[in-house]
Amino acid sequence: MRVIKVMLISLVIVGQGIAQAQFDATFVHSIFMPDFQWIKWGNDLRNSHYHLGAQGPTNPRLLWFLPGGLIDEPMVDNAAQLWFPTHPYPNNPRYTHYRIVAGLSGSLLGTVWPYWGQASTPIILNTAVYVRTSQGDFSDVISDWPVLVLSGGQYDILVYSPNPILGLPPIYWIGAGIPAYRSGLTAYTDGLSGYILIGDNTGLVTPIMVFWVVIADTDESFPYLYVDAPMNLPDLLGFVPGAVYSIVGASGYSDITISTHHSGHIICYDMMALGAPAVLWFTSLADLSVIDPQDSSPIISDICDRPAVMSEDNQTVFVCATNYGRVYAIDTLAPAKLWVAELNKPIMAGPAVGPDPNNGNEETLYVVVRNSPNNSAVVAIRASDGTVKWQRVLRNVSRCTPTIDANGRLFIGDDRGYLYALNPDGSILWMRYLGAAIRVSPVLAHFEPEGAPPVDVLYVSASNRMLYAFVESNPIRVPGGGTGTGVGGGW
């Protein structure tokens, strides 16, 4: 384990609400101090793309739209703001910004820049603040202190946490020199402190721990950031597993995390092992594809290039073998194959998992397959046994993971710019044409503005560098609402 000496680094953030050259601690406290748990997409570390608290529009109207070149799904915080990575300059597509906009008006609040390379959805995680006296006696522990993590492109990761003592400097840490974080970000907890977990292009998985210590009788505070040595998977497994594609955990406290690799390997970690996370088990798509152990015929290779998804009860992980169209359900406690759905078509997007209200809210998995050279199909699979429940052919090819709302409806885009809303039985509720490919999964958010009714918003990014916000067609009015920076943001 390496202890990193934390340096205070100037960070360029411009805009209203974040008006200084670095984060304002008072501003950050006002954002992060409301109760939250593991804010990512929909408070969802298991990659489900299901939002149990928001309903998508049944008859959408455009609330606002913004230029921005969104390259991954936004994070929605508890202050009704979106954080998202963009490529703002068409002539320099690898120059990345993170932007922060007001969720209901589209007004630009701030920009974090610059980064070089492919950034991913940010994450906010909980960690601990240990309060002690100058004599070393611990008197209190705060277990829900916020840490914001931005994946800064090919070789950088930014970790930020406000100082528990207002007016004192926050922690900024930029970890550099590790190959690209292409697997997104996830987190876990030991019950008090929070840990960031990152995967890289060399197949390594690295935990990073952050916490604070406050000296109560001297008004001093000290940030501690520990970067574990990457788990030595070649020694543990006897081989190099290949680039990490996804890391998936649970929405709440869990001692299980799973990584999937381009090489087709699936590795489960015991996060509570003493000293450092340990490999609990591993398997591969090749091993899972063996039907008869006595069969000596060649094993067909396959890859994992879709994110893994955890079930709601954290007992099952769903993995797509994308080339040959298989979906596997694997027991998280042992590398046991529970079932396999043979779709026999390449998997283009998904999986997403959520309840089906038409069938007793049974957990249902949704993937997108290549139906023909010209179009794709959404496939609904019963999560308990792998039975295909229905298929809905779309007009065009789609590479977009469906988003599931509180009523079990799906929202998905295609490569020609059509946005679909599907009912839980697969029938089409509505379609809208946005004019450019929709490949980033739509994101749902639920807001409760002061003095106004609750508002659910569907955010959709199109490849013409536009971000759209849709709401139900019923009129809404938000106190203080204005046109902001976005177009169509006035009421």
Side-chain angles (χ1 to χ4, degrees):
M1 178 179 286
R2 294 184 292 136
V3 181
I4 301 298
K5 183 179 180 181
V6 176
M7 309 266 313
L8 298 182
I9 298 169
S10 176
L11 184 69
V12 180
I13 302 182
V14 297
Q16 304 171 2
I18 310 180
Q20 302 181 12
Q22 56 186 10
F23 277 112
D24 183 305
T26 305
F27 173 74
V28 172
H29 277 251
S30 70
I31 295 177
F32 292 147
M33 287 306 99
D35 180 51
F36 69 88
Q37 282 288 327
W38 310 109
I39 294 180
K40 191 183 176 185
W41 187 138
N43 303 333
D44 180 15
L45 294 183
R46 60 189 184 95
N47 295 339
S48 72
H49 286 82
Y50 163 57
H51 198 309
L52 57 83
Q55 301 179 32
T58 59
N59 185 20
R61 75 175 180 88
L62 185 63
L63 183 63
W64 53 260
F65 65 91
L66 280 173
L70 208 67
I71 57 176
D72 210 335
E73 301 159 15
M75 176 192 74
V76 183
D77 67 25
N78 280 354
Q81 298 173 139
L82 273 71
W83 300 64
F84 54 87
T86 72
H87 283 163
Y89 306 117
N91 61 345
N92 194 347
R94 295 179 65 82
Y95 192 72
T96 301
H97 286 188
Y98 275 95
R99 288 185 175 172
I100 307 102
V101 302
L104 289 175
S105 69
S107 300
L108 181 65
L109 301 176
T111 302
V112 184
W113 61 274
Y115 292 119
W116 180 258
Q118 184 79 16
S120 64
T121 301
I123 186 172
I124 302 172
L125 60 112
N126 303 73
T127 196
V129 177
Y130 297 90
V131 182
R132 68 174 180 85
T133 67
S134 55
Q135 286 74 39
D137 300 319
F138 284 91
S139 59
D140 194 13
V141 178
I142 301 168
S143 60
D144 58 355
W145 197 254
V147 177
L148 169 68
V149 185
L150 305 178
S151 176
Q154 279 193 307
Y155 294 96
D156 297 329
I157 186 169
L158 172 66
V159 178
Y160 166 82
S161 182
N163 199 305
I165 300 178
L166 280 172
L168 294 186
I171 174 180
Y172 297 109
W173 178 74
I174 294 180
I178 303 175
Y181 306 109
R182 64 190 301 167
S183 60
L185 297 166
T186 194
Y188 68 100
T189 178
D190 58 12
L192 287 175
S193 297
Y195 297 74
I196 311 149
L197 202 61
I198 58 175
D200 65 41
N201 279 355
T202 68
L204 297 179
V205 176
T206 304
I208 300 175
M209 179 188 184
V210 184
F211 66 91
W212 289 84
V213 174
V214 170
I215 314 301
D217 53 2
T218 64
D219 271 351
E220 295 179 278
S221 61
F222 303 94
Y224 289 85
L225 188 143
Y226 294 90
V227 181
D228 270 336
M231 284 176 268
N232 197 337
L233 295 178
D235 285 353
L236 293 170
L237 307 178
F239 58 87
V240 179
V244 179
Y245 189 82
S246 72
I247 305 179
V248 62
S251 293
Y253 179 88
S254 175
D255 56 1
I256 296 293
T257 297
I258 291 173
S259 65
T260 62
H261 300 252
H262 274 290
S263 56
H265 292 98
I266 302 137
I267 305 172
C268 181
Y269 307 91
D270 176 4
M271 309 312 295
M272 297 298 105
L274 293 176
V279 172
L280 186 62
W281 55 258
F282 67 91
T283 186
S284 68
L285 294 177
D287 292 339
L288 294 171
S289 301
V290 175
I291 299 174
D292 180 2
Q294 305 303 318
D295 187 355
S296 61
S297 60
I299 297 174
I300 299 175
S301 63
D302 212 334
I303 60 172
C304 298
D305 64 355
R306 299 303 312 158
V309 174
M310 194 80 79
S311 63
E312 184 178 16
D313 62 8
N314 303 324
Q315 299 301 303
T316 308
V317 62
F318 304 102
V319 177
C320 293
T322 50
N323 286 344
Y324 292 91
R326 302 185 188 98
V327 180
Y328 294 96
I330 307 168
D331 190 335
T332 57
L333 298 181
K337 179 173 60 179
L338 302 177
W339 52 256
V340 57
E342 297 274 2
L343 304 181
N344 299 312
K345 295 175 181 178
I347 296 172
M348 308 287 289
V353 63
D356 177 0
N358 291 346
N359 292 282
N361 285 325
E362 66 180 8
E363 198 164 29
T364 301
L365 200 69
Y366 302 94
V367 298
V368 179
V369 299
R370 189 68 173 257
N371 185 64
S372 76
N374 300 316
N375 62 27
S376 294
V378 180
V379 182
I381 303 169
R382 183 177 295 117
S384 60
D385 60 13
T387 301
V388 173
K389 299 167 65 172
W390 52 259
Q391 298 189 45
R392 163 57 60 182
V393 176
L394 305 178
R395 285 189 173 190
N396 306 295
V397 171
S398 175
R399 309 164 204 270
C400 180
T401 296
T403 285
I404 309 166
D405 79 352
N407 295 319
R409 290 189 291 259
L410 308 181
F411 298 87
I412 184 174
D414 71 24
D415 279 6
R416 291 295 183 91
Y418 282 92
L419 174 66
Y420 305 80
L422 304 182
N423 291 310
D425 62 1
S427 60
I428 294 178
L429 177 63
W430 51 260
M431 287 191 304
R432 294 293 185 273
Y433 181 59
L434 301 186
I438 303 167
R439 292 173 181 165
V440 173
S441 179
V443 168
L444 280 163
H446 176 79
F447 300 124
E448 296 185 4
E450 186 176 353
V455 182
D456 293 329
V457 185
L458 178 71
Y459 299 101
V460 184
S461 173
S463 62
N464 58 357
R465 315 186 72 78
M466 301 301 294
L467 173 64
Y468 301 89
F470 293 99
V471 294
E472 191 60 77
S473 58
N474 298 330
I476 64 170
R477 180 173 293 276
V478 178
T483 57
T485 311
V487 179
W491 291 275

